[in-house]
Amino acid sequence: MDKKKMGNFIRKLRKEIVGSQDELANLFLEEYETYITPKAISDWEKGVSIPSIDNLEILSKIFSKSMDEILEGEEFVIIDYKKIYFIVDNDWHKEYDSDTLEEGRFNTLYANRQRQIIKINRRFKELLLIKLNKEFSHNEEEEFRFLFNGFYSNSDYGIQEYLTMDLNDEYLKFKNILKNCIFEIRNINLEEKYWELQKLYYKSNDLHYNFYDLDERKFKDNHYLLDRFIDLELWEKDLLLATIQNCDPVLIKPDRWGSNSLKDYEAEFGKEFNLEQVTKDTIRFLIQNGAMLNTYFMSFYHQTKIERRIIDRLEELYDLCFKPFILSIFKGEGKCDYYKVENSKKNRFIKNYYYPLKDLFINKSVDEIYDILIQNDTIPEYIYLEQAKKYNIDTAQEEKYWKADLNIHISYFVKQWEKFKEQERKIEEGIEEIKILGEKLNQGEKFYYDIQTEYIGDTDPYKIRDKIIDWKNQIDYEEFLFNRNEESTRELLDNLDRLSVTEIRRKYFKIEVIEVE
């Protein structure tokens, strides 16, 4: 209970409804046969003392307010929070007419949504910080409940660490978790307290600052995204920078979607699309606005040394590299002939890659396609030209434009080509391993140590975000600050224009290997 707040409320109501303190004392005596001195009323209003239950009941009648309202020092107002935080309704945009895709309407929808996200994030934080110092008033409680139920959920960490009651209502769970957490963290500083509170809940996807929001096409002339970014916590900025380790900050690359897409980009920005430069510019923006390289947020490898039988591994490698397999040859009219064949590079190509790749080559036999594939690391230029002719693409225009048009049609084939090359690389490594293990077996050894490698992380920005949020929940605020590498971040910023993106990732976003016993 905030006695000063209650006193101010009594003073306000007294002045509005009754008049002076003497007049209020007289009203107590004349209407309710209760003797109260003006001094007692003055003490109530200063927060020196509080009215008794009987006097509260009389004040409630005089002021036409509930006793709870007087005790809390505010009127209980019925607020339609659905109107204040209207994106809680997934169909909120329907209040606009059918022309919502018209440019002006669409921009209004976008602006309203961005303003709402800023408003919700700021208010929820504000209420959390209030809760650290005192119990909510009735109105604060109602607003907090609405925000939580509409845009947040209990985190696994919060439930495991602080939930002490068997509750079905998610908000009541959160209240219980919050109360127990606040008690546990009562002796640490404010920044550390807020850090711990953030572990207790998840934001809805709508409230997150998505990695692809950093795309310069979204940022152009769009102060809302910048406003939202500035509002982010430091760990959220570090999260976005860490995502560069595995992801390009451009979801739709214009050079993959045809010459018109590429030309539109050039017209809008007055420059050629260059993924290298876009990525560097994104890194620069993140660092200059508070993000740092955070080693704790980077993906890594777990490597475990495991003793294994040599004969078991040789069997696995034999199946991969040498074991004959069944090859089906299509004969038309839904009929196939089946042959048991040698596990050779050519037969593997026929089994797994001939049909996915054959349309990349015009009037080429199986043997011809295979020869081209093994003689070239990448697709030869003349194949690109043949495909361009096939799709009536004008190769007289600049190469970047006709190849952008062609990418729409052949990106699948490029991936299949790369998959074949990767498969054969693994088989070559397997054959070398067979030689090494075979020699060990001939020397009488039965066991060897295998390094089992597990990748901890992801290559999808949204899954990376979820993993980093879980990792963050495992450390305290001091550990978070300790893992922010200011020196490396400054060095990265200085070297940004001197290194390629590949070099930057190898040096500053290196995927560490952690050996596990």
Side-chain angles (χ1 to χ4, degrees), residues 84-87 110-126 143 147 151-152 194 203 206-209 213 222-233 236:
I84 296 174
Y85 305 110
F86 53 79
I87 63 170
Y110 181 85
N112 280 337
R113 182 174 179 275
Q114 298 305 313
R115 282 195 290 261
Q116 281 275 292
I117 292 171
I118 292 170
K119 185 175 185 177
I120 292 162
N121 279 322
R122 286 179 179 175
R123 183 56 177 160
F124 193 74
K125 178 178 180 177
E126 183 180 0
E143 184 175 14
L147 287 172
F151 304 102
Y152 299 87
Y194 181 56
K203 294 179 180 180
D206 282 342
L207 300 189
H208 277 295
Y209 199 99
D213 284 340
N222 186 344
H223 69 87
Y224 297 109
L225 285 175
L226 181 57
D227 291 344
R228 282 182 58 200
F229 182 86
I230 291 170
D231 266 4
L232 293 179
E233 307 295 335
E236 292 176 297

Side-chain angles (χ1 to χ4, degrees), residues 96-112 220-221 268:
Y96 294 83
D97 59 31
S98 59
D99 297 326
T100 53
L101 292 182
E102 181 184 319
E103 184 178 0
R105 296 286 187 177
F106 182 81
N107 287 343
T108 302
L109 287 171
Y110 181 85
N112 280 337
K220 188 174 185 294
D221 302 324
E268 183 176 0

Side-chain angles (χ1 to χ4, degrees), residues 23 66 108 113 145 205 233 268 271 321 334 357 457 492 501:
E23 288 174 310
S66 71
T108 302
R113 182 174 179 275
R145 182 198 307 271
N205 282 331
E233 307 295 335
E268 183 176 0
K271 63 181 181 181
C321 304
L357 279 171
L492 167 57
V501 170

Side-chain angles (χ1 to χ4, degrees), residues 310-311 313-314 317 322 428-450:
I310 292 176
I311 193 68
R313 178 57 176 162
L314 285 173
L317 292 170
F322 296 116
E428 288 175 6
E429 291 175 355
I431 292 171
E432 289 301 312
E433 189 178 352
I434 287 173
K435 293 177 184 177
I436 295 170
L437 293 178
E439 290 177 6
K440 288 180 179 292
L441 198 62
N442 290 334
Q443 293 169 6
E445 297 182 37
K446 294 183 179 180
F447 297 91
Y448 78 107
Y449 284 104
D450 186 23

Side-chain angles (χ1 to χ4, degrees), residues 245-247 296-302 454-468 471 511:
Q245 183 183 39
N246 293 313
C247 305
Y296 198 80
F297 289 177
M298 299 292 181
S299 301
F300 58 96
Y301 287 111
H302 262 164
E454 179 186 10
Y455 182 68
I456 310 297
D458 215 289
T459 56
D460 176 86
Y462 306 106
K463 292 179 180 177
I464 291 171
R465 180 191 69 202
D466 292 343
K467 286 182 181 294
I468 290 178
W471 296 345
I511 301 179

